Amino acid sequence: MSEARTLLISPLVGEMAGRPEGGAKQRGVAWLKPAWCGVHSARDSRVTAGVVALAAIAVLIGGAFTGLILEGAHNLSDATAAFDGYLFRVARFTLWQSLLSTLLSVAPALLVARALSRHPHFLGRRLILQLFTVPLALPAIVAALGILALYGRAGYFAGVFAGLGGGEWPGIYGLSGILVAHVFFNLPLATRLFLEALGTIPADQWRLASQLGMGARPAFRLIEWPVLRAALPGVAGLVFMLCITSFTIVLTLGGGPAATTLEVAIYQALRFDFDPARAVVLTLLQIALTFVVVAALTRLGANTVADANLPVAPRRYLSAGRIESVLNAGLIALALLFVAGPMVATVVSGLQADLGRLAGEEAVRRATLTSAGLALLAALLSVSLSLALIAARRALALRRRSPSAMSLLEHAADTGAGFVLVVPPIVLGAGWFLALRGVTDVFAIAPVMVVAVNAVMAMPFAIRAIRPAYDAASERHERLCLALGISGWNRLSLIDWPSLRRPLATGFAFAMALSLGDLGVIALFGSDSVQTLPYLLLARMGSYRTADAAGLALLLGLVCLMLVIVADWLGREAKA
């Protein structure tokens, strides 16, 4: 899902649009823009669709904030009293575990990425890189079960750890479990981002280093480290943001009040303690922290939606020595075992469950159908909103008289979906939970909230998949559509659809996978009457039915993985 633009315009399109021979050269920019951009864009239906999409996002986020503000104003004294030792302890632990998780993920990723970069051609390298994409597709609760199957009190390594410690192995709940899970998710992501940065080093530098007889240490110091150092702040900031907004991992592996983050505390305040004032204070603090992190990421130029594809490894002119090769092989093997271990444990534990009985349970069938239906609706809504924003941004860009004179509406269409990165799903859910609890049964509207929040949360991924193809199609077809008077649905179905079919499918598959594995919103609004697979899985874990939970985790993980594989394949086909 590269952001490269295709700027070639078909000669046939130019002729059909009435372009005179040599007209562009003779008339210059006057022929290219004012004659057809401004008037047409002023009444372009794409702008209207974009305004509707922005309004939907504003209602979702604004409604949550309204609920929080009204609740806080109604219980001002209780909200003020919520600033106690517990609040600061939770905030401190949230920052501490995020900092440790970032350090433990990014530091090894630097070494693993360099090892993979130094050996661009070895058997199994492509398979390892593909395996490193799997954690991006796994729902957090599935990965948590795999980690428990390995390192839990009854895990496969429990006997080893008990022997090493000289006593009974207590399990991995608490800070240690949170850190292991975060490293499992973020080490592969950081490795791929660093490897992508190393792939940008010009081949001329490696050729010159080879001619000068440069060794491994000076090559790292003079060639590799400057590139890694430039990428380090953005990658570390991205991982920190993912850890500070982590909900499912902390909920399943935290193990108690001593290992509670702000998002889990919000959930507990609403579902167990029903302390709205504390929930408001916790939510506002969570928003403030994520806003600061996202603002820092923006200044650092970090890529908040990492591309799963990597460039072809360039030719290397420096060969690694024997000792370096052994060390690099050991690093790659350790990283591979760490990432593959929970996946294998999830599969083995899932296959040991009574899958036939699970498939026959009414609760499982109902949760599967509910998950599929809600994920389908969320994906459709996410792709529709994303396409509307992309089309509106393009129409407004064509309308511009000056390249630097971006209107407020165009800026909102360009960055509107990014606002959801500041407001995690649990925060949106908490705001609407508080806003609607006095109006209607909040558990009855669970499907609406799950679809809406998951759709908006998946929009950054969908936009990244769709926008390059739409911009390229617009470059080729804009004047043709204007000359023939084709707009709206006719343009989408007849002109743009062939170019957008695969990117739309890619965004749809990603959005559906994200929605299927989400636990943030359904954890607040779920009930016995509305259950998704992640919610049912969490319930089985809470009732110590670990075998059933393992079987459900295998089912959920395989479905999400297949969706992401399809999305990746469609994205590659669209590029080709």
Side-chain angles (χ1 to χ4, degrees):
M1 292 178 282
S2 172
E3 291 292 340
R5 302 287 188 267
T6 305
L7 300 177
L8 300 177
I9 301 176
S10 170
L12 176 63
V13 173
E15 293 172 7
M16 295 180 68
R19 171 181 171 180
E21 191 67 30
K25 185 175 181 180
Q26 295 169 8
R27 303 181 191 179
V29 179
W31 176 82
L32 287 174
K33 198 156 187 145
W36 57 277
C37 290
V39 177
H40 178 64
S41 297
R43 55 177 184 271
D44 200 324
S45 60
R46 293 177 293 179
V47 178
T48 303
V51 171
V52 172
L54 286 173
I57 297 173
V59 167
L60 182 66
I61 298 177
F65 275 94
T66 300
L68 293 171
I69 293 171
L70 291 178
E71 185 66 35
H74 185 261
N75 299 293
L76 185 59
S77 58
D78 294 338
T80 304
F83 285 92
D84 54 12
Y86 172 77
L87 174 69
F88 293 109
R89 185 170 67 250
V90 170
R92 186 167 57 249
F93 179 81
T94 301
L95 294 172
W96 176 239
Q97 65 85 19
S98 301
L99 182 63
L100 286 178
S101 298
T102 302
L103 180 63
L104 293 175
S105 300
V106 172
L110 283 168
L111 302 177
V112 176
R114 182 181 180 274
L116 289 169
S117 175
R118 293 283 285 169
H119 302 277
H121 306 291
F122 67 86
L123 184 64
R125 183 181 188 273
R126 183 178 180 85
L127 180 62
I128 291 174
L129 292 178
Q130 290 176 342
L131 185 67
F132 276 16
T133 65
V134 174
L136 303 177
L138 280 182
I141 193 169
V142 174
L145 274 176
I147 290 170
L148 286 175
L150 277 182
Y151 311 113
R153 183 176 299 176
Y156 296 117
F157 290 160
V160 176
F161 292 138
L164 292 175
E168 184 179 356
W169 172 242
I172 201 172
Y173 287 105
L175 178 61
S176 58
I178 295 172
L179 294 179
V180 169
H182 282 167
V183 175
F184 168 78
F185 278 108
N186 297 316
L187 172 64
L189 172 63
T191 298
R192 294 180 65 86
L193 292 176
F194 283 132
L195 188 57
E196 186 175 356
L198 289 171
T200 63
I201 299 176
D204 291 343
Q205 293 188 14
W206 291 112
R207 187 183 299 110
L208 179 60
S210 177
Q211 293 172 352
L212 295 175
M214 190 175 292
R217 288 185 179 179
F220 173 76
R221 181 169 56 88
L222 298 175
I223 299 177
E224 294 170 317
W225 175 241
V227 175
L228 293 174
R229 183 177 56 195
L232 181 59
V235 175
L238 173 59
V239 173
F240 188 85
M241 186 191 73
L242 294 174
C243 296
I244 204 173
T245 58
S246 177
F247 170 72
T248 305
I249 290 298
V250 182
L251 181 65
T252 54
L253 296 176
T260 298
T261 58
L262 287 170
E263 293 204 6
V264 175
I266 294 168
Y267 166 76
Q268 293 171 343
L270 290 177
R271 286 301 299 259
F272 296 107
D273 304 331
F274 197 73
D275 188 348
R278 183 175 294 278
V280 169
V281 174
L282 291 166
T283 303
L284 293 177
L285 184 56
Q286 176 68 36
I287 292 172
L289 288 177
T290 52
F291 180 82
V292 170
V293 174
V294 171
L297 280 174
T298 302
R299 291 187 62 85
L300 293 169
N303 180 8
T304 54
V305 184
D307 194 348
N309 300 320
L310 288 171
V312 178
R315 181 182 174 188
R316 291 285 187 253
Y317 293 88
L318 287 180
S319 58
R322 179 174 297 180
I323 296 178
E324 184 186 0
S325 298
V326 171
L327 292 176
N328 289 339
L331 283 171
I332 295 171
L334 287 175
L336 179 62
L337 289 174
F338 181 81
V339 174
M343 303 180 198
V344 175
T346 300
V347 174
V348 173
S349 300
L351 292 176
Q352 291 176 351
D354 191 349
L355 298 177
R357 178 182 58 81
L358 282 175
E361 286 188 17
E362 177 64 24
V364 174
R365 290 202 301 268
R366 188 168 61 248
T368 302
L369 291 176
T370 301
S371 293
L374 296 180
L376 179 65
L377 292 174
L380 286 172
L381 182 59
S382 179
V383 169
S384 300
L385 293 175
S386 300
L387 182 59
L389 287 184
I390 292 167
R393 183 203 62 84
R394 179 63 180 169
L396 291 167
L398 292 173
R399 180 180 177 177
R400 253 191 285 151
R401 299 285 180 173
S402 171
S404 60
M406 181 182 289
S407 66
L408 180 61
L409 182 58
E410 182 185 351
H411 185 73
D414 190 34
T415 61
F419 286 111
V420 302
L421 298 174
V422 184
V423 190
I426 192 69
V427 171
L428 288 177
W432 279 100
F433 189 97
L434 294 172
L436 297 174
R437 68 186 181 93
V439 179
T440 184
D441 181 8
V442 292
F443 300 108
I445 61 168
V448 176
M449 293 306 307
V450 170
V451 169
V453 175
N454 287 342
V456 174
M457 288 298 164
M459 284 182 65
F461 293 88
I463 287 176
R464 188 174 180 86
I466 301 167
R467 178 170 164 174
Y470 187 90
D471 285 353
S474 175
E475 289 282 357
R476 292 193 298 268
H477 304 144
E478 198 70 41
R479 285 175 288 179
L480 173 63
C481 294
L482 176 61
L484 299 179
I486 302 176
S487 62
W489 174 255
N490 289 331
R491 170 174 176 166
L492 178 62
S493 59
L494 299 176
I495 305 298
D496 294 333
W497 175 251
S499 300
L500 298 180
R501 183 174 56 211
R502 286 187 178 276
L504 285 171
T506 300
F508 178 86
F510 265 120
M512 192 167 181
L514 291 173
S515 182
L516 272 173
D518 179 70
L519 184 62
V521 182
I522 194 64
L524 279 176
F525 290 90
S527 62
D528 292 337
S529 58
V530 181
Q531 292 185 340
T532 61
L533 275 177
Y535 188 87
L536 182 62
L537 201 162
L538 181 65
R540 295 292 170 91
M541 288 180 64
S543 59
Y544 299 101
R545 299 171 65 177
T546 54
D548 288 358
L552 293 173
L554 178 61
L555 172 63
L556 181 60
L558 288 176
V559 172
C560 292
L561 182 60
M562 284 191 296
L563 283 170
V564 172
I565 290 174
V566 169
D568 183 65
W569 175 75
L570 289 171
R572 292 176 187 271
E573 289 292 317
K575 285 183 187 180

